[in-house]
Amino acid sequence: MGVELGVLGPVAAWEADGTPLRLGAPRQREVLGRLLLARGRVVPVDRLVADLWKERPPAGAVGALRTFVAALRRCLEPGRPPRQASRLLVTDGPGYALRAGRDAVDAWRFEDAAAEAAAAPPRAAVAFWGAALARWRGPVLADFPHAAWAAVERARLEALRLDAVEGRADALLASGAARDAVADLEAHLTEHPEREPGWVLLVTALERSGRRGEALQALRHAREVLTRTLGPGSGAALARTEARLRDAPAGPVEPAGIADSVWERTAAAWDRSVPARARARLHATAGLLRDLAVTGADGLMEAREHRRELVAAAEATGDPELAARIIGSYDVPAAWTRADDPDDAGQLARAAARTAARLGPDGPAALRARLLAVVAVESRGDAAADAPLPRAAQPPAAEPWRLRGERAAEEAVRLARRLQDPALLAFALNGAFMQSFSTCGAAASRDALGAEITALAVEHQLPSHEVLGRIVRLQTLCALGDLAAADEQAEETDRLARRHERPLAGVFTAWYRALRVCETDGWTAARPRYLDLLARTADAGMPGLTQGAAALVALVPVMRGDGLPDPDDFAHLDAGPYQPWLDPLLLAAAGAADRASEALSTAPRPPHDLLQEALWSVLARAAAAVGHMPVLRRARDELAPAEGENAGAGSGLVSFGPVKRHLRMLEKALDCL
């Protein structure tokens, strides 16, 4: 019902967009907390009265309780019409119950995430345990610490939280990240020194981090603490750990610990040995940025920022071959067709083109191919546009920047095939994918590209490009409506991401699974998944994908239906780059036909990217509403080649339903004009 409820901290409730709801006076919040801890069961009125008033209840207690319930209903379901029965806080027989779904209550979501973590492989489990623990805002029912009715459930949930902290540490150990576990375990045991499993984990983490002396010291301290708090004879598991440490020779430090130590020593040696202005530093930095970009959101953002400075430094040397090596070394796979920073991408594409021109057609073929692949990848969508975009209401016109990108991709692929360089060919094919959106309805040809990238990557052990190929196939199979085959690509992508530490791949598979739920179970089932995704992926380091995504999600039920949106549903959403195509639809929905028609006349044509079919469909809906003939005709012509696909589904994020349905609407609107 769009409301989230919380007991892992003070009693709280939030609207679907995260806005806190005012729950009123303490006694009123206590009623909500009491019903939440009943987990959907009916709590009789006399039981509620007894719990709320520990001593003798006042004469008007039942009436006061009914007032609290009525106020809570108004707060939790503000849009409920008068005299319509509440669907959330219900009257049932002798009492009241909260009929909230598991996705609506933080404690239940915590339990589900913990169960998912317990069943997951170690690397995935670390993330699941982290997500579970992130639900906690403080002690259970922090604003009612002495409520006797909450004691049992408070103790149960707190025990699960402590287990989750230790479960995450255990998963870190199992995935080779003992150093990361140490600090969390030390903080955990400072607060809960009686936790023997925590001590065992801490000792193990210290040992595997190469800190054997500290591990033995922690053992002695743990034995003293457990004897003092639990009595003599406690600590059997700790005793076994101590015996293992004392009797066994010092074991090898886990690879992560060795790597950290080697990294620190090597970095220090590099700084001592390589002159400050040596070109070797440019080469080394380029390789470091390429690897940094696939480590996660923070690494991607840092790599993107520093790459621009590195390219400028390489160009400033005046050596075109050096600049070509630096610019072309960043062959990080790109699966999303809207640049995270279009201005920056345009500058990089132009730098690559300048350097290729300086090398000339007779320059080293491998360097030329890499530069052309950079041009193709970075000029995705309209990032390299050097003139205003043509309008959607006008007939198609030649766009020089698009022709440059397409030709760069074609020549990069040709050169890479001739050179028989698998890594270079995979990079060039990535550029070809980015330039494969010249028309709507090209999912089948992009699927062939994705299949070639995947096969090439599997044969030559290129894990990052295998992830790319499978994401491309996931997107194209969504567009073509083959969800069973898309499932296989998503599962394999997740496996590769865990195996090769590519966390950003999970952003695409998570969005795909929300889309899939929408396709199979409908918008109502998918909506909470989408809301959770919007929150979880907002900081994924890919603004080209996430900016404006909330507006796209809000359009899903509109575009899968036949009507116009409620403008109020979009009033507080940031449509980001999609605003020019959303505005005409919202104006038409608000009854401002003249302004909608003007907005349609000035709207740019949708970008040549993964969402072009979706955005043409949005323009078509607005044009049909106000009878805008030029956009209706152009949208029909653009969408016609995609008749067998699903609008927007090629993004792997959202689907606006079959293009065929939007075309029928277009034809009907044209027949009426």
Side-chain angles (χ1 to χ4, degrees):
M1 275 163 271
V3 174
E4 296 183 21
L5 306 164
V7 295
L8 301 181
V11 176
W14 305 270
E15 294 181 16
D17 62 0
T19 303
L21 294 173
R22 294 180 178 273
L23 294 177
R27 192 79 76 183
Q28 195 164 294
R29 297 197 307 275
E30 190 172 3
V31 172
L32 180 59
R34 177 66 182 88
L35 293 174
L36 279 169
L37 260 58
R39 304 177 71 86
R41 296 185 297 273
V42 174
V43 183
V45 168
D46 57 356
R47 178 72 268 168
L48 279 169
V49 168
D51 286 342
L52 264 62
W53 288 275
K54 302 177 186 62
E55 299 174 358
R56 181 178 299 177
V62 172
L65 175 62
R66 288 174 177 155
T67 300
F68 298 149
V69 168
L72 283 171
R73 284 171 170 163
R74 288 192 298 272
C75 172
L76 299 176
E77 296 179 84
R80 180 169 53 89
R83 293 184 295 279
Q84 180 179 326
S86 172
R87 293 187 297 141
L88 180 58
L89 204 172
V90 303
T91 302
D92 192 338
Y96 301 106
L98 267 170
R99 306 298 192 204
R102 289 197 68 82
D103 280 350
V105 181
D106 60 359
W108 304 348
R109 294 178 75 173
F110 161 72
E111 293 170 351
D112 291 345
E116 194 172 10
R123 287 190 186 279
V126 172
F128 289 143
W129 284 122
L133 289 165
R135 300 287 174 197
W136 287 74
R137 298 168 288 110
V140 177
L141 295 165
D143 36 0
F144 305 105
H146 306 298
W149 50 265
V152 173
E153 186 67 0
R154 178 184 288 116
R156 186 185 74 84
L157 287 168
E158 176 61 17
L160 288 177
R161 186 186 71 82
L162 298 180
D163 289 344
V165 172
E166 291 163 3
R168 183 176 182 275
D170 193 28
L172 285 168
L173 287 172
S175 60
R179 286 189 172 213
D180 294 339
V182 170
D184 288 347
L185 286 167
E186 287 176 337
H188 171 62
L189 290 165
T190 298
E191 189 175 355
H192 302 281
E194 76 288 352
R195 297 286 295 189
E196 184 179 5
W199 286 111
V200 170
L201 288 165
L202 176 60
V203 169
T204 305
L206 288 167
E207 180 199 16
R208 292 187 187 176
S209 299
R211 299 157 67 179
R212 186 180 176 85
E214 292 177 66
L216 292 171
Q217 184 179 357
L219 266 170
R220 289 192 294 272
H221 180 59
R223 190 168 55 247
E224 294 170 1
V225 169
L226 292 177
T227 299
R228 186 170 61 250
T229 57
L230 302 179
S234 58
L238 198 66
R240 291 193 295 272
T241 303
E242 183 174 10
R244 176 177 61 77
L245 246 66
R246 291 193 182 281
D247 297 343
V253 181
E254 67 177 19
I258 295 173
D260 286 346
S261 177
V262 172
W263 172 274
E264 291 165 3
R265 296 198 306 272
T266 303
W270 177 269
D271 280 336
R272 289 193 306 269
S273 306
V274 181
R277 291 178 175 79
R279 293 187 176 190
R281 287 185 177 257
L282 291 176
H283 287 290
T285 304
L288 185 61
L289 291 180
R290 179 186 59 204
D291 294 340
L292 181 64
V294 298
T295 60
D298 292 341
L300 178 60
M301 290 188 290
E302 291 279 357
R304 191 164 54 236
E305 177 180 347
H306 299 312
R307 181 189 176 198
R308 180 174 58 248
E309 298 170 0
L310 183 66
V311 168
E315 283 198 287
T317 65
D319 183 340
E321 285 202 16
L322 173 63
R325 294 182 191 281
I326 297 301
I327 295 170
S329 67
Y330 194 86
D331 56 358
V332 177
W336 190 246
T337 49
R338 177 177 287 278
D340 293 318
D341 184 338
D343 291 338
D344 185 49
Q347 289 178 27
L348 288 167
R350 288 187 284 275
R354 281 194 305 270
T355 305
R358 292 179 66 193
L359 283 178
D362 297 326
L367 289 182
R368 182 171 176 79
R370 284 193 167 274
L371 289 169
L372 292 170
V374 170
V375 172
V377 170
E378 296 299 341
S379 59
R380 69 189 87 172
D382 297 311
D386 49 17
L389 297 185
R391 293 180 177 179
Q394 297 171 339
E399 301 175 27
W401 61 88
R402 286 205 45 75
L403 294 176
R404 287 196 294 269
E406 291 170 6
R407 289 168 183 163
E410 291 169 2
E411 187 177 353
V413 171
R414 181 181 61 79
L415 288 170
R417 291 196 195 280
R418 192 187 81 193
L419 293 167
Q420 298 183 354
D421 182 335
L424 178 56
L425 179 56
F427 185 28
L429 289 171
N430 194 171
F433 165 69
M434 287 297 180
Q435 297 300 324
S436 63
F437 296 86
S438 56
T439 64
C440 293
S445 62
R446 292 200 302 276
D447 191 50
L449 265 176
E452 182 176 3
I453 295 171
T454 302
L456 185 70
V458 169
E459 182 178 358
H460 297 282
Q461 293 294 296
L462 304 170
S464 291
H465 279 91
E466 185 181 351
V467 170
L468 166 67
R470 295 191 181 281
I471 290 175
V472 169
R473 294 213 65 206
L474 181 152
Q475 294 167 339
T476 57
L477 291 165
C478 280
L480 297 169
D482 190 348
L483 295 182
D487 285 343
E488 295 176 8
Q489 298 302 323
E491 290 167 11
E492 192 61 21
T493 298
D494 285 338
R495 185 191 69 79
L496 286 164
R498 291 192 297 268
R499 175 79 175 83
H500 299 286
E501 297 181 326
R502 300 291 188 268
L504 294 177
V507 173
F508 292 95
T509 55
W511 275 91
Y512 161 69
R513 291 189 171 96
L515 180 155
R516 198 193 197 295
V517 168
C518 192
E519 291 290 281
T520 56
D521 301 332
W523 167 247
T524 301
R527 183 174 182 271
R529 285 178 175 260
Y530 273 125
L531 293 175
D532 183 56
L533 268 175
L534 287 168
R536 286 197 292 118
T537 62
D539 298 321
M542 295 185 285
L545 184 149
T546 57
Q547 189 179 16
L552 290 176
V553 169
L555 278 170
V556 170
V558 177
M559 298 304 296
R560 293 172 75 90
D562 298 316
L564 296 175
D566 182 344
D568 290 342
D569 292 342
F570 294 81
H572 303 294
L573 296 180
D574 177 12
Y578 308 112
Q579 197 71 54
W581 302 286
L582 179 60
D583 279 344
L585 186 65
L586 295 180
L587 289 168
D594 290 343
R595 292 174 60 199
S597 185
E598 181 181 352
L600 285 165
S601 296
T602 58
R605 57 110 179 103
H608 294 278
D609 63 17
L610 285 160
L611 285 162
Q612 61 179 331
E613 292 92 353
L615 296 177
W616 275 116
S617 299
V618 171
L619 286 178
R621 182 72 60 89
V626 298
H628 194 287
M629 184 69 75
V631 169
L632 284 171
R633 287 174 175 162
R634 176 83 187 273
R636 178 196 59 193
D637 295 344
E638 294 287 345
L639 288 172
E643 185 174 7
E645 297 182 13
N646 293 312
S651 67
L653 272 63
V654 296
S655 173
F656 292 171
V659 172
K660 183 182 296 185
R661 190 171 65 82
H662 296 288
L663 283 169
R664 284 200 301 267
M665 180 275 297
L666 275 165
E667 294 294 352
K668 183 178 179 181
L670 286 166
D671 288 343
C672 293
L673 292 176

